[in-house]
């Protein structure tokens, strides 16, 4: 349903795009959303009336497929197509047709500072102007549905959106410092549910770890999070098809807690209602938690109503590198865990384990040689399972110079290989 308002803007209420995200070189559109178009910008809102995307429509906008996106953590990201939008560009580095440019420090190999581009920054001024115009019109003379949408948007001003991101953190017990790289498949749109805090290793190189040592949450805590999350997401919950079980090593929480949390969330959030395929379950694991996980865990996960991604931090296969980065595991354990990843991927249709390795100017040639040997000798998976993510060290001095190194590893790898961008919620 589309309405025009005195030629200033056009409103489309609850448009329906496919729930499943298609990897394509045009701007992402998924789920149910409302849209307001002015002459120069397109604003998209979720089912709660919260601003979600802004895209420029005139020739000053850098690229028609680029857009600003606001996360549930209230960060504004800029999805760029980079400086090479061919199949050799962004898609070959990240597996996606866009590059999320973040407003906070991360480990990106590219530096795109969208804050310095006035054409992009104009979008925020246009958003403020639209808000003021909506406020002064309050939808007078419009259809009741358009008026309702405008009231919802007006209720969600910048202060409210900021407070909501804090409320989300309060429900799950803190900000999530990193999302699994596999959440790119759902444009990082996940519902977080924390089942354990801290991690087993406290590696020296790691920039996302918390102060805490590993500790599971109890069932009552998980149930309460689910209850509050359902209220928090409100009507817009139907736009989510993915659950992230946090935090840094949910796999170490064990079969019972993982399956309990997944079942509680699947039931409460009704993921299957709006999707044709399986919803997604994401979690992180470690070398130790993968080695300790028995077949019972994978067999049970395989039967859940989810397609499950487990992302493991391997970091390196070289003993001297593991020492330099301060990761307290043996190289043999990494090798064994990597083999287990391949075995689980080939024996469980609904589970995909993926792995992370480090990249950085500071790392020795032994690290790269052992990595190229490992990935070159791995049996390729018929379904492209077992993606390897190469994570640049955060303080790497020369960022973009890592790309040729990445491409060399990728070309020699039998497994899909991409760059890992640390993104928070
Ligand atoms: S890399 Fe993983 S295990 Fe190591 S400190 Fe960071 S979160 Fe913990």
């Amino acid at each position: 349903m589309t309405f025009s308002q005195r030629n200033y803007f056009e409103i489309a209420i609850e448009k329906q795009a496919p729930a499943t995200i298609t990897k394509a070189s045009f701007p992402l559109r998924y789920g149910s959303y409302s849209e307001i178009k002015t002459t120069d910008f397109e604003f998209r809102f979720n089912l709660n009336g919260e601003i979600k995307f802004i895209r420029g429509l005139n020739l000053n906008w850098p690229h028609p497929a680029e857009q600003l996106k606001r996360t549930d953590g209230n960060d504004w990201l800029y999805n760029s197509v980079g400086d090479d939008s061919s199949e050799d560009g962004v898609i070959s580095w990240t597996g996606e047709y866009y590059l999320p440019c973040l407003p906070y420090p991360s480990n990106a190999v590219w530096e795109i500072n969208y804050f310095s581009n006035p054409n992009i920054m104009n979008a925020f001024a246009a958003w403020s102007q639209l808000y003021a115009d909506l406020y002064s019109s309050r939808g007078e003379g419009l259809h009741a549905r358009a008026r309702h949408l405008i009231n919802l948007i007006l209720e969600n001003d910048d202060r409210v959106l900021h407070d909501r991101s804090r409320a989300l953190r309060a429900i799950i017990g803190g900000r999530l410092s990193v999302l699994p790289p596999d959440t790119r498949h759902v444009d990082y749109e996940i519902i977080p549910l924390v089942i354990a805090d801290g991690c087993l290793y406290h590696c020296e190189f790691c920039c996302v770890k918390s102060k805490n040592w590993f500790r599971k949450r109890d069932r009552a805590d998980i149930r309460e999070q689910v209850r509050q999350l359902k209220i928090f997401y409100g009507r817009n919950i139907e736009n989510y098809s993915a659950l992230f079980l946090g935090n840094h090593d949910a796999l170490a929480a064990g079969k019972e807690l993982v399956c309990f949390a997944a079942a509680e969330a699947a039931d409460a959030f009704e993921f299957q209602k709006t999707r044709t395929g399986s919803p997604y379950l994401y979690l992180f694991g470690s070398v130790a938690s993968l080695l300790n996980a028995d077949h019972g865990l994978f067999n049970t996960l395989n039967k859940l109503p989810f397609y499950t991604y487990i992302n493991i931090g391997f970091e390196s296969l070289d003993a001297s590198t593991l020492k330099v980065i301060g990761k307290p595991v043996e190289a043999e354990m990494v090798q064994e865990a990597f083999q287990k990843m391949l075995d689980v991927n080939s024996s469980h249709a609904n589970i995909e384990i993926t792995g992370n390795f480090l990249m950085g100017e500071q790392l020795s040639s032994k690290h790269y040689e052992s990595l190229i040997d490992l990935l070159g000798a791995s049996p390729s998976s018929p379904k492209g399972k077992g993606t390897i993510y190469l994570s640049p060290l955060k303080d790497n001095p020369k960022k973009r110079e890592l790309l040729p190194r990445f491409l060399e590893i990728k070309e020699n790898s039998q497994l899909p290989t991409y760059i890992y961008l640390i993104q928070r919620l």
Side-chain angles (χ1 to χ4, degrees):
M1 200 179 278
T2 304
F3 307 94
S4 288
Q5 168 76 1
R6 293 183 211 143
N7 297 329
Y8 292 124
F9 45 81
E10 194 178 278
I11 304 173
I13 297 179
E14 297 196 14
K15 291 176 92 169
Q16 189 66 54
T20 306
I21 295 175
T22 314
K23 294 187 196 294
S25 57
F26 42 79
L28 284 178
R29 293 261 196 290
Y30 47 84
S32 300
Y33 60 90
S34 294
E35 185 175 85
I36 299 185
K37 274 187 186 171
T38 62
T39 316
D40 295 322
F41 290 95
E42 171 188 278
F43 303 86
R44 269 179 284 143
F45 302 86
N46 68 18
L47 292 174
N48 294 336
E50 298 160 333
I51 181 76
K52 194 74 194 161
F53 289 96
I54 309 178
R55 189 170 74 98
L57 300 176
N58 64 27
L59 292 175
N60 293 329
W61 192 251
H63 191 284
E66 298 191 346
Q67 54 190 348
L68 284 157
K69 175 189 171 187
R70 197 185 63 82
T71 69
D72 290 335
N74 205 33
D75 288 315
W76 277 102
L77 322 180
Y78 184 69
N79 286 343
S80 165
V81 297
D83 46 19
D84 180 357
S85 55
S86 76
E87 294 294 316
D88 295 328
V90 168
I91 179 78
S92 73
W93 313 344
T94 64
E96 305 300 321
Y97 282 91
Y98 62 96
L99 198 61
C101 304
L102 312 174
Y104 48 85
S106 183
N107 65 339
V109 284
W110 48 85
E111 295 281 2
I112 299 177
N113 182 3
Y114 69 80
F115 289 107
S116 63
N117 186 332
N119 293 320
I120 299 173
M121 295 313 283
N122 276 344
F124 292 113
W127 164 227
S128 299
Q129 184 60 53
L130 176 69
Y131 188 91
D133 290 345
L134 294 176
Y135 189 82
S136 55
S137 80
R138 308 271 177 89
E140 279 166 24
L142 279 181
H143 188 282
R145 290 191 69 197
R147 233 180 12 254
H148 176 68
L149 172 67
I150 289 174
N151 285 334
L152 270 183
I153 294 170
L154 293 175
E155 280 167 20
N156 285 293
D157 63 18
D158 287 348
R159 186 187 50 78
V160 170
L161 295 175
H162 173 75
D163 289 349
R164 274 182 61 72
S165 68
R166 291 173 65 100
L168 178 59
R169 279 177 238 162
I171 293 170
I172 60 175
R175 173 158 234 162
L176 296 180
S177 58
V178 61
L179 293 172
D182 309 298
T183 55
R184 67 189 171 88
H185 296 302
V186 291
D187 192 26
Y188 304 91
E189 292 290 297
I190 49 85
I191 297 184
L193 174 61
V194 174
I195 65 169
D197 297 289
C199 67
L200 302 176
Y201 297 136
H202 280 204
C203 315
E204 282 167 29
F205 79 93
C206 177
C207 59
V208 296
K209 62 180 174 268
S210 68
K211 295 194 296 282
N212 310 327
W213 288 104
F214 181 79
R215 190 158 168 265
K216 292 191 230 180
R217 302 268 183 106
D218 61 31
R219 287 183 173 219
D221 180 296
I222 292 167
R223 264 201 202 102
E224 181 57 16
Q225 284 183 70
V226 169
R227 189 187 71 76
Q228 292 191 38
L229 286 166
K230 188 167 182 187
I231 297 167
F232 174 85
Y233 284 99
R235 247 202 93 199
N236 196 48
I237 206 161
E238 69 179 68
N239 274 328
Y240 291 82
S241 57
L243 175 71
F244 167 51
L245 294 184
N247 205 345
H248 299 304
D249 195 351
L251 188 62
K255 179 172 86 176
E256 284 188 10
L257 207 59
V258 168
C259 294
F260 167 78
E264 286 281 309
D267 190 33
F269 304 154
E270 301 180 88
F271 286 123
Q272 282 177 307
K273 216 165 147 186
T274 51
R275 284 184 57 85
T276 40
S278 300
Y280 295 103
L281 175 64
Y282 295 99
L283 54 153
F284 281 119
S286 59
V287 168
S289 62
L290 178 56
L291 290 176
N292 291 336
D294 61 20
H295 287 294
L297 167 67
F298 296 114
N299 291 340
T300 311
L301 283 179
N302 202 44
K303 290 184 195 134
L304 289 177
F306 289 97
Y307 186 85
T308 299
Y309 283 96
I310 305 170
N311 181 251
I312 307 292
F314 294 117
E315 324 310 355
S316 181
L317 199 68
D318 171 50
S320 57
T321 303
L322 288 167
K323 208 167 200 173
V324 167
I325 62 171
K327 183 149 194 123
V329 295
E330 305 294 324
E332 294 71 28
M333 288 171 70
V334 177
Q335 178 82 56
E336 203 185 324
F338 188 87
Q339 184 56 49
K340 190 163 182 179
M341 172 186 91
L342 299 176
D343 294 344
V344 173
N345 282 346
S346 59
S347 56
H348 293 79
N350 293 324
I351 300 176
E352 179 165 351
I353 303 183
T354 64
N356 308 329
F357 287 89
L358 290 177
M359 266 199 318
E361 282 248 307
Q362 311 90 320
L363 301 179
S364 73
S365 56
K366 277 194 196 161
H367 166 69
Y368 292 109
E369 284 159 17
S370 59
L371 184 54
I372 287 173
D373 287 350
L374 179 78
L375 301 183
S378 296
S380 58
S381 157
K383 291 199 173 148
K385 283 167 118 187
T387 297
I388 297 303
Y389 293 96
L390 300 179
S391 181
L393 283 166
K394 192 174 170 207
D395 298 325
N396 197 65
K398 289 186 190 166
K399 302 220 168 190
R400 189 106 186 195
E401 279 74 358
L402 283 176
L403 277 175
R405 176 74 88 175
F406 160 72
L407 290 172
E408 183 196 350
I409 299 169
K410 183 180 174 77
E411 275 162 20
N412 285 289
S413 174
Q414 297 296 317
L415 298 172
T417 303
Y418 296 110
I419 289 176
Y420 186 173
L421 172 67
I422 291 177
Q423 204 175 132
R424 72 187 184 189
L425 182 66

